[in-house]
Amino acid sequence: SSMNPGSIVSAVKPSKNFGEAVKNVRQLYRQWIRYVPGILKQHEIAEVSVHQGRAKVREEFMKNAHVKDPMVIDALAFRARHELQETVNLWKQKAHVLKFFLADRQGPSDFLTRFYAGRE
């Protein structure tokens, strides 16, 4: 799949309600899932399969499935959208991306994992 980094971070209006916030997060989740193969290829990460990469993205999104406040969901989505933009644009070094995908295997992890766990 072709990666068009310019299309990721666009002006996103605040969600009017929980349903709209969830819809926006689902859209962002699908973007992350679509970009996983390209991210792994761009960063030359052979240690992680596409399946494993997508499972990791799902795991990170599910960590905040309990959040019900649309403003909080919007803030989390905003940060996740920027993480995706930085990763796709190669503004992150391979080590940072690898650390995210292998976080469970290597113990403490980076910003993205802490962010999704709500600790950032």
Side-chain angles (χ1 to χ4, degrees):
S1 70
S2 128
M3 298 199 340
N4 179 6
S7 68
I8 298 170
V9 178
S10 54
V12 179
K13 294 180 200 153
S15 302
K16 294 182 184 91
N17 53 48
F18 176 73
E20 192 175 284
V22 168
K23 185 183 127 214
N24 292 337
V25 168
R26 283 195 182 124
Q27 200 170 26
L28 176 60
Y29 171 76
R30 284 192 297 270
Q31 262 188 314
W32 265 100
I33 292 299
R34 259 195 320 272
Y35 277 108
V36 166
I39 289 169
L40 296 174
K41 186 176 179 184
Q42 267 188 326
H43 291 274
E44 299 175 349
I45 298 174
E47 302 90 331
V48 178
S49 70
V50 171
H51 176 75
Q52 289 168 319
R54 287 179 168 157
K56 181 63 178 173
V57 168
R58 177 175 172 73
E59 175 189 317
E60 295 303 319
F61 269 81
M62 292 308 295
K63 285 179 181 176
N64 284 317
H66 66 282
V67 178
K68 301 297 180 211
D69 182 337
M71 284 179 60
V72 175
I73 294 170
D74 285 350
L76 290 166
F78 175 83
R79 293 173 75 177
R81 199 170 285 108
H82 279 272
E83 286 290 326
L84 179 58
Q85 180 83 65
E86 291 176 10
T87 304
V88 170
N89 283 353
L90 294 171
W91 298 340
K92 287 179 173 285
Q93 294 178 3
K94 176 181 177 176
H96 296 128
V97 179
L98 191 58
K99 201 177 208 182
F100 166 73
F101 284 112
L102 299 178
D104 291 343
R105 301 182 212 171
Q106 295 180 343
S109 59
D110 67 350
F111 166 79
L112 187 58
T113 305
R114 291 194 316 275
F115 155 69
Y116 280 120
R119 293 191 300 260
E120 195 67 47

